[in-house]
């Protein structure tokens, strides 16, 4: 959900800066109510895109949406991959956008991040990061592999699921070459 006045402020960001193609922020169950109109947003690092861009918090100019195209229908809730369509879309936006900005505040309402979902989105996240590794997401791809090892050690991710994810991700990495 969007706090009162939030969408007006986002629209104003895009109206003030004709080069801004993609803007995002974080989310939380108790989003900040402070005004951010006129406040500077930073150019995000790939790690910030990978960890914080969400379909709930991404705002894109129409021309960038036309350039990117549709969401990958092989990703998302209800697909065998189970998620990460928004991560893929955000990384694609970063590759073609003129100006990308990130506000490091939880400004959108959504359930808080929960450790119980980490393993559910692991496979799709790893595959998407592999797809974009050659375009600036290599460090996040390697980090995600390490996260998989951590999840296995905590018994949150089965060895067979980790191996399957790694195999799919490496195939995706080779295909992106």
């Amino acid at each position: 959900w969007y706090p009162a006045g939030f969408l007006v402020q986002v629209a104003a960001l895009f109206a003030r800066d004709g080069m801004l193609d993609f803007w995002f922020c974080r989310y939380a169950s108790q989003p900040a109510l402070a005004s951010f109109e006129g406040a500077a947003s930073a150019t995000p690092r790939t790690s910030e895109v990978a960890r914080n861009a969400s379909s709930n918090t991404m705002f894109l100019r129409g021309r960038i949406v036309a350039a990117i195209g549709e969401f990958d229908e092989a990703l998302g809730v209800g697909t065998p991959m189970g998620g990460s369509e928004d991560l893929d879309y955000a990384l694609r936006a970063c590759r073609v956008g003129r100006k990308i900005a990130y506000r490091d505040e939880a400004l959108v309402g959504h359930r808080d991040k929960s450790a119980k979902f980490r393993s559910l989105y692991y496979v799709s996240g790893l595959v998407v990061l592999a797809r974009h590794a050659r375009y600036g997401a290599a460090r996040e791809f390697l980090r995600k592999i390490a996260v998989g090892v951590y999840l296995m050690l905590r018994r949150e991710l089965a060895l067979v699921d980790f191996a399957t994810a790694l195999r799919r991700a490496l195939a995706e990495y080779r295909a992106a070459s």
Side-chain angles (χ1 to χ4, degrees):
W1 67 93
Y2 302 116
F6 173 80
L7 294 176
V8 171
Q9 292 182 72
V10 172
L13 289 173
F14 281 88
R16 281 193 307 273
D17 187 345
M19 296 297 286
L20 181 62
D21 282 333
F22 173 28
W23 181 88
F24 68 101
C25 61
R26 292 183 293 113
Y27 64 79
S29 62
Q30 297 295 316
L33 299 175
S35 172
F36 65 95
E37 190 169 333
S41 295
T43 300
R45 296 183 306 270
T46 303
S47 61
E48 291 169 322
V49 176
R51 298 175 202 176
N52 295 304
S54 163
S55 57
N56 305 298
T57 65
M58 297 182 343
F59 297 87
L60 300 108
R61 191 172 298 280
R63 75 152 210 95
I64 197 84
V65 172
I68 296 169
E70 298 177 357
F71 280 96
D72 181 343
E73 293 182 9
L75 300 168
V77 176
T79 68
M81 288 293 238
S84 301
E85 73 287 352
D86 45 3
L87 172 59
D88 178 63
Y89 206 79
L91 291 169
R92 287 165 48 202
C94 288
R95 285 174 48 194
V96 299
R98 295 173 296 186
K99 182 177 178 183
I100 292 72
Y102 168 59
R103 181 73 179 197
D104 189 14
E105 282 188 85
L107 301 172
V108 172
H110 187 276
R111 66 158 168 75
D112 290 321
K113 291 182 180 182
S114 171
K116 70 181 180 178
F117 294 114
R118 287 188 298 208
S119 61
L120 289 175
Y121 296 116
Y122 182 76
V123 174
S124 61
L126 184 66
V127 167
V128 167
L129 290 169
R131 179 182 295 174
H132 295 278
R134 295 182 192 270
Y135 308 104
R139 177 176 277 159
E140 286 302 304
F141 174 52
L142 294 173
R143 178 188 169 279
K144 191 75 166 182
I145 292 170
V147 167
V149 171
Y150 171 79
L151 293 175
M152 280 193 316
L153 293 173
R154 292 188 45 89
R155 302 196 190 294
E156 293 179 38
L157 184 66
L159 174 61
V160 66
D161 293 333
F162 176 73
T164 299
L166 194 54
R167 189 171 40 257
R168 285 182 179 172
L170 293 174
E172 191 72 35
Y173 179 80
R174 285 189 292 272
S177 308

